[in-house]
Amino acid sequence: MTAQSHDIFAALRDRAVAALRALLPDLPEEALARVQMEPPREAAHGDMATNAALVAGKAARQPPPRLAAALAERLAALPEVAEAAPAGPGFVNLRLREDVLRAQIPVILAAGEAYGDSAAGGGRRVNVEYVSANPTGPMHVGHCRGAVVGDALANLLAKAGWAVTKEYYVNDAGAQVQALGYAAYWRYLQALGTTMTEEEYAQLIPGGLQYRGDYLVPVGAALRERFGDSLAVPDPAHRYGMAGPDHWLAPVREFAVARMMEAIREDLAALGVVQDVFVSEAQLIREGMLERAEALLAAKGLIYRGVLEPPKGKTPEDWEPREQTLFRATQFGDEVDRPLRKSDGSGTYFANDIANHLGKIERGFDALVHVWGADHGGYVRRMRAAVAALSDGRVSFDVVLTQIVHVVKGGQPVRMSKRAGTYVTLRDLIEEVGRDAVRFTMLTRKADAQMEFDLDKVVEQSRDNPVFYVQYAHARCRSVLRQAGDPAPAALAAAPLHHLADPAELTLLRRLCAWPRLVEAAAAAREPHRIAFFLHDLAADFHVLWNRGRDDSTLRFIRGDEPEATRARLALVAATATVIRSGLAVMGVTPVEEMR
RNA sequence: GCGCCCGUAGCUCAGCUGGAUAGAGCACGCGCCUUCUAAGCGUGUGGUCGCAGGUUCGAAUCCUGCCGGGCGCGCCA
């Protein structure tokens, strides 16, 4: 059985398309491609509805209602279908034979967490780049959302049949990293026992002292251990003073970057994020990738020397027209052409990132996906233009933008001040509420919506807390199965499933059947948050069923007097637990066996 | 000034790339919870989908113009 056939919606869609072809042999393919089979909003409409007659009616110039009636007649004859009826402006509503739904339970149990895996990606290669925080300090909550969204999105694409590479682009070449070098050097001087004050030191260096957080103190100590006092000069006034930067800046910078990346990797690992590839901006430059990218664009006639117009309405005070090396981004949908070289001849950030993307393209990816903070939204078009230019439009380029997260505790916003070094680190957050709560909660909003992260709420054990609600459903499933002696999935798959006939049981079952379809839709839209909402709905269906057993003991999962019905229900419970685990795996959240 | 994102119930948000009578949680109203699986359950009220046009069988969804909020706007990354 192929992964595709796990999706009964896709299967019935194919049936509808076939029926449509039989009715209207001349129908163009693009009309057929628009045929959908989806769960209806109203349960009363049945199990599935298709718009086939609506989209075909237009192409064939026939009234959709009449076409719907003819289509319904054909679909009603299918073995899977109990009832098919035209409805509304031209829908066909289908009610499936309940056995078709029940037959998914053995499929789910056999597939395990792989249920919902799809072939939609066709094994194409996608590069998902996320986090990519500057290696200038520890991860804080601002990075966290991108990390979780990117990781879940990568998992989702993998589940949808893509060959995924998880990537981190290390910005280790720019001015920020230079500033890190100066800041680390300050901690080094301190480790040597200098009596210079921080302000005195700040006066000595270009741009002032930027990274004052004490996370660099251990780096200073490590530098001393590694280099002794060889990178400083004896100074009668302060015991040790600053040597000429040529002497020490490069090694200190590299040392500090390495330490920061080590810390970042540890923080990411604590969040359950492990990336496959770390691309160094500095190394790309050393390898001449920038020149190669530039030459490639030049060969296509996409680079020229020119002067840009000042931005309308907001001319910078120090604006003066300058001739620059420009990339013809406007040929690929951007508003203006973009500069590639700074006046000192080095590449702009954009140019370096073009080199980064050329690297990806050369590594053979079919699709490039990024997760960026919303403040980088203005950068999307030019990068898409560059990728289109470099790959001649062969490689797709998508960006998921994430909005800011406001951390709240006790109803009060938790302030972050990077300059003072007193921000909430990712590590703090994980220690406070746990990795699973962090990951789940970060996916309970659309990525581009602002989000409030309430430290009290995410650990609350109540229905209001989706993390708890979903975990509780899984724990309840496991509790039932343990009580029943943990029967093997294969044994449950053979259960007499016709005992599953209660409306609440069938509602839950329908939800389970919708999982493969949801995976494909969420992956296509690059929206991992849909998994969280699906699991919440699934958990609700399960809790409803559980609660009904309280009012009506004949609906309890385990009934001593009805061993056959019990086996059927255990199969349903096991399938539910399986789908929850399948979804949590995409989110990177560990399912719990019991609530404590 | 220009570009991008957003505007859905009192609040926080979904809405499956154009489908049928727009959903969920909280809050609020009512009922239930001494014994079963209650870190509660059920049920109800609540909407001019920012405004105004347009596209079509059909619009919260697409287009145009306003209003309001966020982000960005030549050598920061």
Side-chain angles (χ1 to χ4, degrees), chain A residues 251-262:
Chain A
V252 167
R253 193 180 55 211
E254 274 166 37
F255 188 89
V257 166
R259 279 307 179 95
M260 290 300 106
M261 282 311 300
E262 211 173 290

Side-chain angles (χ1 to χ4, degrees), chain A residues 9 36-40 45-52 91-94:
Chain A
F9 289 91
Q36 295 177 9
M37 185 66 75
E38 52 189 9
H45 291 150
D47 296 313
M48 299 180 177
T50 180
N51 63 349
F91 287 99
V92 177
N93 290 332
L94 299 183

Side-chain angles (χ1 to χ4, degrees), chain A residues 160-181:
Chain A
W162 290 81
V164 177
T165 295
K166 299 179 175 182
E167 191 154 306
Y168 187 121
Y169 178 54
V170 186
N171 297 132
D172 52 3
Q176 304 294 325
V177 168
Q178 202 79 339
L180 175 74

Side-chain angles (χ1 to χ4, degrees), chain A residues 358-376:
Chain A
L358 178 58
K360 293 175 199 275
I361 291 166
E362 288 181 346
R363 279 181 279 150
F365 290 102
D366 302 295
L368 307 181
V369 175
H370 288 267
V371 179
W372 288 345
D375 55 343
H376 288 64

Side-chain angles (χ1 to χ4, degrees), chain A residues 120-144:
Chain A
R124 282 170 293 169
R125 298 186 60 207
V126 59
N127 179 292
V128 185
E129 183 186 307
Y130 56 105
V131 188
S132 299
N134 287 341
T136 53
M139 304 271 299
H140 56 78
V141 289
H143 302 118
C144 178

Side-chain angles (χ1 to χ4, degrees), chain A residues 153-196:
Chain A
L153 177 56
N155 294 341
L156 175 60
L157 290 172
K159 192 169 182 66
W162 290 81
V164 177
T165 295
K166 299 179 175 182
E167 191 154 306
Y168 187 121
Y169 178 54
V170 186
N171 297 132
D172 52 3
Q176 304 294 325
V177 168
Q178 202 79 339
L180 175 74
Y182 280 106
Y185 187 73
W186 164 239
R187 295 304 186 180
Y188 166 71
L189 291 182
Q190 281 192 310
L192 290 174
T194 186
T195 58
M196 195 187 299

Side-chain angles (χ1 to χ4, degrees), chain A residues 134 136-138 140 143 176 210-213 215 415-423:
Chain A
N134 287 341
T136 53
H140 56 78
H143 302 118
Q176 304 294 325
Q210 285 196 37
Y211 300 105
R212 300 186 183 221
Y215 60 86
R415 296 245 165 255
M416 301 212 311
S417 167
K418 195 171 181 180
R419 185 159 302 179
T422 60
Y423 46 26

